[in-house]
Amino acid sequence: MKVFVINGPNLNMLGLREPALYGARNFEALQAYIRKSAEELGVEVELFQSNHEGAIVDAIQGAYGRFDAILINPAAYTHTSVAILDALKAVALPTVEVHLTDISTREKFRQFSYVSLCAELTICGEGFEGYRKGLEYLSKKA
Ligand code: DQA
C-alpha cells in the first residue's frame, strides 16, 4: 500500500502558528510522526506540502497510477476548493481527510468541507494521531 500524504497551506508553519490550536510541535515533527507511523503500519508514504491550490491539484493528478490511496489535510482549501475536490474525484483513489483540529466545532466557515464530499473517512480533532489513524484505515484496504 503506497499512500500519498498531502498537507495544504500554512501547515508548514506548525509550531509557530496558533500553538493554542495546532500545538507546539513543528511541521518537521509532523512529518517524522507520519513516517514513523507508516513504517510501523507497513505502509509506504510520500509526503507533499504546498501553499498553492494549483500545485496541490497537479500533485493529486500526478498521484494517478503511482499511489494506492491519498491522505490529505487540505487546510484552508478544505472549505473553498472545488478544484481539489474535482481532482480527487478525477483520480478516484481511496481518500482519507484529516484535520488537526475539530472543524465541526470551530467558526461557521470551517464547518463545511468540499473534500468530505469524496473522502471515505474524515478524522478531525485528534492532532498528529489523526494522520496515524488515517494511515491505519488505508493500510487495511490493501
Ligand atoms: C485545518 C483546519 C482548517 O480550517 C485550517 O484552515 C487549517 C488546518 C486543521 O488541520 O485543523 O489550516 O485543516
Side-chain angles (χ1 to χ4, degrees):
M1 167 62 66
K2 217 173 152 191
V3 181
F4 192 34
V5 180
I6 303 172
N7 278 296
N10 300 306
L11 290 167
N12 58 316
M13 298 292 280
L14 282 179
L16 190 71
R17 174 191 189 199
E18 301 181 84
L21 267 179
Y22 296 110
R25 287 181 290 176
N26 64 18
F27 186 59
E28 284 65 40
L30 174 62
Q31 288 184 300
Y33 179 88
I34 294 168
R35 287 189 209 285
K36 186 168 177 278
S37 302
E39 203 181 309
E40 287 167 2
L41 292 162
V43 171
E44 218 182 305
V45 283
E46 187 171 309
L47 274 47
F48 174 80
Q49 190 275 332
S50 178
N51 295 320
H52 305 277
E53 184 176 19
I56 295 170
V57 169
D58 287 344
I60 293 167
Q61 290 182 7
Y64 183 77
R66 291 188 57 226
F67 294 93
D68 304 306
I70 291 175
L71 178 69
I72 184 168
N73 182 346
Y77 291 135
T78 304
H79 320 295
T80 62
S81 184
V82 178
I84 289 174
L85 169 65
D86 285 349
L88 290 167
K89 286 170 97 170
V91 299
L93 292 167
T95 297
V96 171
E97 173 187 13
V98 59
H99 298 283
L100 294 161
T101 62
D102 184 359
I103 56 173
S104 70
T105 59
R106 295 185 61 191
E107 303 97 318
K108 198 106 207 121
F109 67 86
R110 293 187 202 274
Q111 293 177 15
F112 176 76
S113 164
Y114 282 100
V115 169
S116 286
L117 300 176
C118 75
E120 282 187 19
L121 175 69
T122 298
I123 301 167
C124 291
E126 303 208 27
F128 284 16
E129 179 67 18
Y131 288 80
R132 186 194 178 83
K133 287 192 176 165
L135 288 176
E136 199 173 351
Y137 171 87
L138 292 170
S139 72
K140 290 180 181 146
K141 293 190 78 79

